[in-house]
Amino acid sequence: MEPLDDDSTASQQRATRHELPRASLPEEFLLRRIHSLEDEVGMLREANEHLVLAAVQAQHLQEDAEAANRRQNEFLAMLAHELRNPLSPISMAASLLDRMPDATPQLHKLSRVIGRQVEHMAKLLDDLLDAARISSGKITLSTQPLVLADVLQQAVETMQSCIQERRQTLQLELPPESVVVEGDQVRLTQVFTNLLANASKYTGDGGMLHLAARADGDQVSVAIRDNGNGIAPEIIPYIFDLFTQGPRSLARSEGGLGVGLNVVRNLVGMHAGSVTAESAGAGQGSCFTVRLPRSGQQSVGRGPAEVAVTGGRKRILVVEDNPDTCATLAACLREEGHEVVTALDGRSGLAAALERPYDVIVCDIGLPGLDGLGLMRAVRAAVGGRRPLAIALTGYGQPEDQARGMEAGFDHYLVKPVGLETLLSLIGAEANTNR
């Protein structure tokens, strides 16, 4: 080969080697980028699929939790209804025994023991249901300006018999009428009744209770102190948690479900307030302090006081499917001088209501054949002129149950067990009013 030709060939080869990389680099780079983007898109697609799957699973879990919560609330409502039904005839029977003209002192004492224990059972049911309703957001407040002293006095009156029974002393420091709070009267009364009940329960016979309310700027504070069992330091941080209780003896003489203080904390929180617990330790007593915002109002208008009217003998129809409840209630009403007709189911109750006029109809809601709501709607539609006073007496005690009862035409909605005095006061107040 000639040298010149070799040099020429080598130059061409070198040129080719230099030109090929320049032509191939952009294509390789783009291919690598495309592959990299495809990998990133695949990873994003996979991550998106996981997110969608997680969202669907979370939705299913939420739906399952809501369904379980509904089933729990329905179960608790039915449990309360079924437990209240036997409590009602027990309460009425105790009242009947206490009113017997020839009853011995021992019989009076036993009947009052029965009555107190029925009230205690009813209180446990109320606490359990309130805890369930609060946790599911089913409690709403009807707030208005309230004189704090009136609320506290009502709670004290509720607990007075229990405190007297245990020979305990209650010292009161009530605020002036100018101390007003915004709140739901029923629920705030429940708060202070629960705290007084708690103080009395954990204080021995002959113990000392002290309730003091004070206004401090734009807040009011109510402290309920006792010299009872006290609270162990390790329990205080959890004392308001659901089902939290201090150590108990095997006798469990204090009783309770561990839900009352949880209900207190939640109701106070719904009023934009707070509640705290203090104790120097076991055997050193305890103090619970509720703080609430003070209302801007300095006074609350009061309507004329309601005067109970006996009204004399009434013609009363009792519709109740529990034979024991029906019989004892009828006997109690007859003892008061009223004329009483009874029915054990909805259809016979409706027939009796339409057969002749009645002054008062006391009716259960859960009746066979025709429930109490349907019965009352039919009565209201058929009876012209003077309307009978209609009182629902039932084990269904949730707010929506009461709303349905009032919508159906009941004038009063009472949840079993009902004290005989409460029922008689409603019947007496009916007097001779044309309804």
Side-chain angles (χ1 to χ4, degrees):
M1 234 178 244
E2 295 181 0
L4 184 57
D5 292 338
D6 288 341
D7 292 341
S8 177
T9 303
S11 297
Q12 291 176 357
Q13 289 175 347
R14 284 194 299 271
T16 303
R17 284 199 300 269
H18 287 299
E19 289 172 2
L20 282 174
R22 285 196 300 270
S24 62
L25 274 174
E27 185 178 351
E28 290 175 0
F29 176 75
L30 289 174
L31 288 173
R32 284 198 301 271
R33 274 304 278 165
I34 289 170
H35 291 316
S36 176
L37 290 172
E38 287 177 345
D39 291 341
E40 291 178 8
V41 169
M43 292 172 62
L44 288 172
R45 184 182 296 112
E46 184 178 358
N48 189 55
E49 290 173 355
H50 287 312
L51 286 173
V52 171
L53 181 61
V56 171
Q57 289 175 339
Q59 181 67 27
H60 287 164
L61 289 174
Q62 181 179 353
E63 291 173 355
D64 290 344
E66 290 173 352
N69 190 55
R70 283 194 301 271
R71 288 194 297 270
Q72 170 187 282
N73 290 333
E74 289 169 1
F75 170 76
L76 288 173
M78 184 56 65
L79 175 65
H81 177 265
E82 293 303 317
L83 291 177
R84 282 190 172 113
N85 270 334
L87 287 179
S88 190
I90 294 172
S91 176
M92 291 295 174
S95 297
L96 194 59
L97 289 173
D98 197 43
R99 288 166 173 268
M100 291 178 63
D102 57 347
T104 63
Q106 179 73 359
L107 188 58
H108 283 301
K109 182 178 179 180
L110 291 175
S111 67
R112 288 165 188 170
V113 168
I114 295 170
R116 286 193 298 271
Q117 295 307 310
V118 167
E119 289 177 4
H120 181 60
M121 284 290 294
K123 177 67 168 55
L124 294 178
L125 286 172
D126 289 340
D127 281 348
L128 188 59
L129 284 172
D130 278 341
R133 287 199 291 264
I134 289 171
S135 66
S136 61
K138 289 193 172 181
I139 283 188
T140 57
L141 301 181
S142 176
T143 60
Q144 60 181 324
L146 301 171
V147 175
L148 180 60
D150 291 349
V151 175
L152 297 175
Q153 192 64 56
Q154 189 173 351
V156 169
E157 289 173 3
T158 302
M159 288 301 304
Q160 195 66 51
S161 61
C162 177
I163 292 171
Q164 289 176 348
E165 176 195 350
R166 303 194 68 175
R167 302 184 305 281
Q168 295 168 338
T169 301
L170 174 61
Q171 297 177 342
L172 288 177
E173 295 181 35
L174 296 178
E177 291 188 1
S178 60
V179 177
V180 178
V181 296
E182 297 283 339
D184 183 306
Q185 183 163 5
V186 172
R187 293 304 181 180
L188 280 184
T189 302
Q190 180 183 359
V191 164
F192 297 115
T193 300
N194 276 13
L195 290 176
L196 282 171
N198 189 73
S200 176
K201 180 168 62 177
Y202 291 100
T203 302
D205 290 357
M208 179 75 70
L209 311 179
H210 183 242
L211 185 154
R214 295 180 176 86
D216 183 15
D218 59 354
Q219 275 198 334
V220 297
S221 66
V222 180
I224 297 175
R225 190 180 301 274
D226 64 71
N227 63 349
N229 296 350
I231 309 170
E234 63 271 16
I235 297 296
I236 287 182
Y238 313 103
I239 196 69
F240 294 103
D241 291 349
L242 196 59
F243 305 124
T244 294
Q245 295 175 318
R248 298 297 184 90
S249 65
L250 290 177
R252 290 187 59 83
S253 56
E254 296 88 0
L257 296 172
V259 299
L261 290 179
N262 178 261
V263 170
V264 166
R265 181 182 64 180
N266 283 291
L267 289 177
V268 171
M270 292 172 70
H271 284 83
S274 64
V275 58
T276 56
E278 300 174 67
S279 176
Q284 301 297 312
S286 60
C287 179
F288 289 83
T289 304
V290 174
R291 294 177 177 84
L292 295 167
R294 186 172 179 177
S295 174
Q297 291 193 215
Q298 296 298 312
S299 62
V300 176
R302 288 184 172 90
E306 294 185 3
V307 180
V309 182
T310 57
R313 178 184 174 91
K314 299 291 194 314
R315 182 180 295 126
I316 302 174
L317 172 63
V318 175
V319 188
E320 167 62 63
D321 65 323
N322 184 304
D324 289 336
T325 302
C326 190
T328 52
L329 176 55
C332 288
L333 294 173
R334 289 183 181 120
E335 281 291 319
E336 293 297 312
H338 300 299
E339 177 187 346
V340 182
V341 174
T342 62
L344 293 173
D345 62 78
R347 297 198 182 281
S348 60
L350 178 59
L354 299 180
E355 182 180 357
R356 57 187 294 195
Y358 289 90
D359 301 305
V360 181
I361 297 177
V362 180
C363 184
D364 191 10
I365 298 297
L367 296 168
L370 176 68
D371 65 30
L373 301 177
L375 183 153
M376 189 48 55
R377 290 191 189 99
V379 168
R380 292 306 193 201
V383 176
R386 189 169 183 270
R387 290 160 39 107
L389 177 74
I391 302 173
L393 188 60
T394 176
Y396 293 109
Q398 302 218 41
E400 55 268 29
D401 299 322
Q402 181 173 358
R404 283 193 290 267
M406 302 303 285
E407 183 183 359
F410 284 100
D411 299 297
H412 301 283
Y413 194 96
L414 304 181
V415 180
K416 298 174 181 176
V418 175
L420 182 59
E421 293 297 335
T422 299
L423 184 61
L424 291 177
S425 67
L426 293 178
I427 293 172
E430 184 270 346
N432 296 313
T433 305
N434 289 329
R435 305 192 60 84

